[in-house]
Amino acid sequence: MKILAINPGSTSTKLAVFEDETPRLVRTLRHSVEELSAFPQVTDQFGFRKDLVLRELEADGIPLAFDAVIGRGGLFKPIPGGVYEINGQMLHDAKCAAHPHACNLGCLIAAELAARIPGCRAFIADPGVTDELDEVARITGSPLMPRITIWHALNQRAIARRYAREQGTRYEDLNLIICHLGGGISIGTHLRGRCIDVNNALDGEGPFSPERAGTLPAGALIDLCYSGRFTREELKKRISGHAGLAAHLGTTDVPTIVTRIGQGDKHAELVLNAMIYQTAKSIGAAATVLYGQVDAILLTGGIAHSDYVVSRLTERVSFLAPVRVYPGEDELEALAQNALGALRGELEVREYE
């Protein structure tokens, strides 16, 4: 089976070609701020990114001949996790998504390329809006604002299945807490194959992160909204974008911050330790959802490469369960594995409605 996986991110487009489980091509195409500034809306980047993928395949002598093209899922309406065949309703919702993000281009590019290939199928899998919350987890103190989920579903599920294989068991037989440490931090509580609780890691919940403000004091936030100091869009960036480590320290790069700490920067040390502290608190809270019956805590994402962060986080939470570390993200392989499972009939293909 030949599979093309496409993962559009904020400043990059990643693609990979797989033959069954074997990667034949893996590329990360970086996009400068200047390049992307030419497009008023994220959806306007569609043709630019699609053509880059086609040029990369052509440059490597790879014909446009695949059994499936799978794209990263977008931030449209909440849906259960799994593999979805791309249809017209999904394409419409991706173009009109309430949260403008490059990941919304994944299904658009996959559908366009698959349509050029006879017999080729187009999929997404485990989008960031995957929603399997227990009903009790949706309730907040205001009926006007129920909890929603925006998280690193694709990577968390891929890491969960990888850990399960290593243990000689199935994801569906394990209770796991999985913490993705990236530009945003998502902490998922996985009960036997279903993520029953997870924070909105994009714009409003959980620990602060390199780019996100996380949970904020509600009263102070309301006062700031009416202070006249910022526009609505400026305040949005103070929650997601220019927030977290970026707002406190002027950088999102954890290795740079660790270097500053080594040079005696006490403020940098305090702020980074506060992020670790808040993350550990959230992991501890997740353990209560599972009544303390936690098989393992899995740490993943780009920041999981940092010994500084991982060692201090492990020190705080290892009393709950064994901690395992899977640095980086495994999203292209995860996409390909989902497409392969769908083509082989091993995974149910869901219909987006």
Side-chain angles (χ1 to χ4, degrees), residues 301-322:
I303 301 175
H305 286 289
S306 170
D307 290 337
Y308 183 100
V309 173
V310 168
S311 62
R312 285 160 177 77
L313 190 52
T314 300
E315 185 179 18
R316 285 190 178 275
V317 303
S318 59
F319 74 96
L320 295 167

Side-chain angles (χ1 to χ4, degrees), residues 90-121:
M90 183 186 296
L91 296 175
H92 172 271
D93 289 357
K95 293 174 185 176
C96 305
H99 298 280
H101 190 280
C103 66
N104 296 324
L105 299 170
C107 66
L108 300 174
I109 297 173
E112 166 74 15
L113 298 186
R116 303 185 182 189
I117 307 167
C120 183
R121 300 174 72 181

Side-chain angles (χ1 to χ4, degrees), residues 22-177:
T22 304
R24 298 302 185 191
L25 171 72
V26 179
R27 289 283 188 276
T28 297
L29 310 176
R30 303 288 180 187
H31 313 311
S32 68
V33 173
E34 291 74 24
E35 279 181 314
L36 298 182
S37 64
F39 305 100
Q41 304 295 330
V42 172
T43 51
D44 297 333
Q45 299 172 19
F46 166 74
F48 165 72
R49 295 194 189 230
K50 178 199 68 177
D51 291 343
L52 283 177
V53 171
L54 289 171
R55 285 202 294 269
E56 198 69 20
L57 294 174
E58 183 179 3
D60 280 87
I62 298 173
L64 195 64
F66 299 99
D67 296 287
V69 183
I70 184 165
R72 182 180 176 188
L75 301 180
F76 19 78
K77 66 182 182 182
I79 54 177
V83 182
Y84 287 80
E85 194 120 29
I86 297 172
N87 59 21
Q89 185 62 54
M90 183 186 296
L91 296 175
H92 172 271
D93 289 357
K95 293 174 185 176
C96 305
H99 298 280
H101 190 280
C103 66
N104 296 324
L105 299 170
C107 66
L108 300 174
I109 297 173
E112 166 74 15
L113 298 186
R116 303 185 182 189
I117 307 167
C120 183
R121 300 174 72 181
F123 302 115
I124 67 160
D126 293 326
V129 289
T130 293
D131 184 349
E132 300 167 345
L133 293 186
D134 277 351
E135 289 306 309
V136 70
R138 300 183 190 280
I139 306 299
T140 72
S142 170
L144 298 174
M145 292 178 282
R147 291 182 69 223
I148 64 170
T149 61
I150 301 178
W151 58 296
H152 305 89
L154 181 63
N155 189 47
Q156 285 205 24
R157 277 242 163 78
I159 294 302
R161 293 191 177 102
R162 177 177 166 186
Y163 173 78
R165 288 194 300 271
E166 293 172 357
Q167 301 303 308
T169 186
R170 302 185 313 147
Y171 167 48
E172 291 78 10
D173 295 326
L174 294 171
N175 291 347
L176 302 169
I177 297 172

Side-chain angles (χ1 to χ4, degrees), residues 205-225:
E205 194 182 21
F208 74 83
S209 71
E211 298 178 3
R212 319 283 200 258
T215 301
L216 295 171
L221 181 59
I222 291 171
D223 290 342
L224 191 61
C225 289

Side-chain angles (χ1 to χ4, degrees), residues 294-346:
V294 185
D295 293 305
I297 298 166
L298 311 182
L299 306 180
T300 183
I303 301 175
H305 286 289
S306 170
D307 290 337
Y308 183 100
V309 173
V310 168
S311 62
R312 285 160 177 77
L313 190 52
T314 300
E315 185 179 18
R316 285 190 178 275
V317 303
S318 59
F319 74 96
L320 295 167
V323 177
R324 299 290 181 269
V325 183
Y326 298 88
E329 52 84 14
D330 208 9
E331 291 181 334
L332 287 171
E333 183 179 352
L335 287 170
Q337 288 291 339
N338 275 284
L340 189 59
L343 292 173
R344 289 174 172 172
E346 298 167 354

